[in-house]
Amino acid sequence: MKKICPSVLSADFSKLEEEIREVEAAGADIIHCDIMDGNFVPNISFGPSFVSTINKITDLPLDVHLMIENPSKYVYEFYEAGADYISVHYENNIHLHRLIYQIKDLGVKAGVVINPATPANLLMDILEHVDYVLIMSVNPGFGGQRFIESVIPKIIQLKTLINARNLNCLLEVDGGIGLDNIKQVSDAGADMFVCGASVFKSDNKAEAIKKLKELVS
Ligand code: DX5
Ligand code: ZN
C-alpha cells in the first residue's frame, strides 16, 4: 500500500490540532515532520517538543526528517518524542552506518536521505541496512518549492537496484509533489509521498488527500 505523508511544515501552526485531525480523518497514512537547524539548511523549523505535541494529537506514525548538523546527538530525543521513522542525510554523515544502527537499535525505522545533486549509486553499500531511502525532489529547506524533474530517473534507478537485490527497502520522495505529478512519481517506483503545500495549502485538504490517494492506488 502506497502512503501519503503530509508535511506539517506547511500547516497553519495556529490551528495545528485541527489541521492534523483533518488530514488524519481524510486518510493520511503518516505525518512527516521536517526538522531544520539553520545550518545544514538555511531555514529553522521546530524540535522534539513540537514533535511530541504532534504525537499527542494523532495516532498516525511520525516520520521525522532530520535536516540538521550532528543528528546523532538528537536521535534519542526524537525517539522519545514519538518518532516511528527517522531519516538522516547522506551528505553530512561520515559515520552513516553507525548512525543508522543507532536509530534501528531504538526500534525506529531508519532512512537515508539524498539531495537532488547526490547520485543514487553512493547508496550502494548502505542500501541493505536501511528501511527506506528518502529521495529529495527539491533542495531541502523550504516547503512549496517546484519539483525537480531530473530526480525521476534516480527513483527508477533505486527501485531497480532494490528489486534486483531483493531488499526490504521502501522509497520515499519529498518535495513539490502534488496532483499534477504524483502519478509519475508513483509509476517511477515511489512507495511514500511527502506532500506539504499540496495538502496543507489546499482549500480542501480532505479532497486533496482523497485525490492524491486515488492517483497512486
Ligand atoms: C523540504 C522538506 C519537505 C517539504 C515538502 O526541505 O523536506 O518535506 O515540507 O513540502 P512541499 O510538498 O510543499 O514541497
Ligand atoms: Zn521532508
Side-chain angles (χ1 to χ4, degrees):
M1 252 287 272
K2 304 225 174 189
K3 295 186 189 308
I4 304 292
C5 317
S7 165
V8 284
L9 188 68
S10 295
D12 179 344
F13 291 174
S14 71
K15 297 191 245 168
L16 187 66
E17 182 165 358
E18 189 187 314
E19 299 217 338
I20 290 176
R21 288 196 197 286
E22 193 177 346
V23 298
E24 181 169 3
D29 298 288
I30 290 173
I31 300 293
H32 185 84
C33 304
D34 286 304
I35 314 300
M36 305 176 176
D37 67 350
N39 285 296
F40 180 65
V41 290
N43 197 7
I44 298 177
S45 59
F46 47 81
S49 63
F50 193 85
V51 173
S52 168
T53 300
I54 296 170
N55 196 35
K56 286 188 194 114
I57 297 171
T58 180
D59 291 331
L60 291 178
L62 304 185
D63 169 26
V64 173
H65 173 193
L66 296 181
M67 287 162 275
I68 60 175
E69 294 299 351
N70 203 359
S72 156
K73 195 173 156 192
Y74 300 99
V75 160
Y76 192 76
E77 278 186 66
F78 284 106
Y79 156 72
E80 280 198 312
D84 300 282
Y85 296 72
I86 296 179
S87 60
V88 293
H89 274 256
Y90 173 85
E91 294 83 7
N92 67 334
N93 288 296
I94 300 164
H95 303 292
L96 187 58
H97 180 276
R98 177 188 290 155
L99 180 55
I100 290 296
Y101 279 92
Q102 184 189 351
I103 299 168
K104 288 177 97 164
D105 288 349
L106 294 168
V108 174
K109 291 199 185 310
V112 62
V113 193
I114 48 172
N115 282 334
T118 303
N121 56 17
L122 291 175
L123 300 183
M124 208 63 88
D125 292 351
I126 200 67
L127 210 52
E128 66 191 81
H129 302 284
V130 295
D131 297 299
Y132 62 109
V133 173
L134 172 46
I135 302 170
M136 290 306 302
S137 42
V138 296
N139 288 294
F142 302 94
Q145 301 182 82
R146 206 186 163 87
F147 183 83
I148 298 171
E149 288 280 337
S150 58
V151 303
I152 291 284
K154 192 152 69 175
I155 303 169
I156 297 170
Q157 189 189 348
L158 270 165
K159 193 65 175 186
T160 309
L161 213 64
I162 288 167
N163 288 342
R165 288 166 63 182
N166 206 14
L167 297 174
N168 194 10
C169 174
L170 297 175
L171 281 187
E172 182 175 28
V173 181
D174 182 0
I177 298 179
L179 293 173
D180 54 328
N181 58 12
I182 195 166
K183 185 162 182 347
Q184 190 191 8
V185 176
S186 175
D187 290 347
D191 306 291
M192 298 158 74
F193 309 84
V194 178
C195 299
S198 62
V199 168
F200 283 108
K201 303 289 188 209
S202 150
D203 293 337
N204 188 337
K205 295 182 239 327
E207 191 63 21
I209 289 181
K210 187 169 162 255
K211 285 187 181 155
L212 288 163
K213 287 189 88 119
E214 278 168 12
L215 286 165
V216 300
S217 60

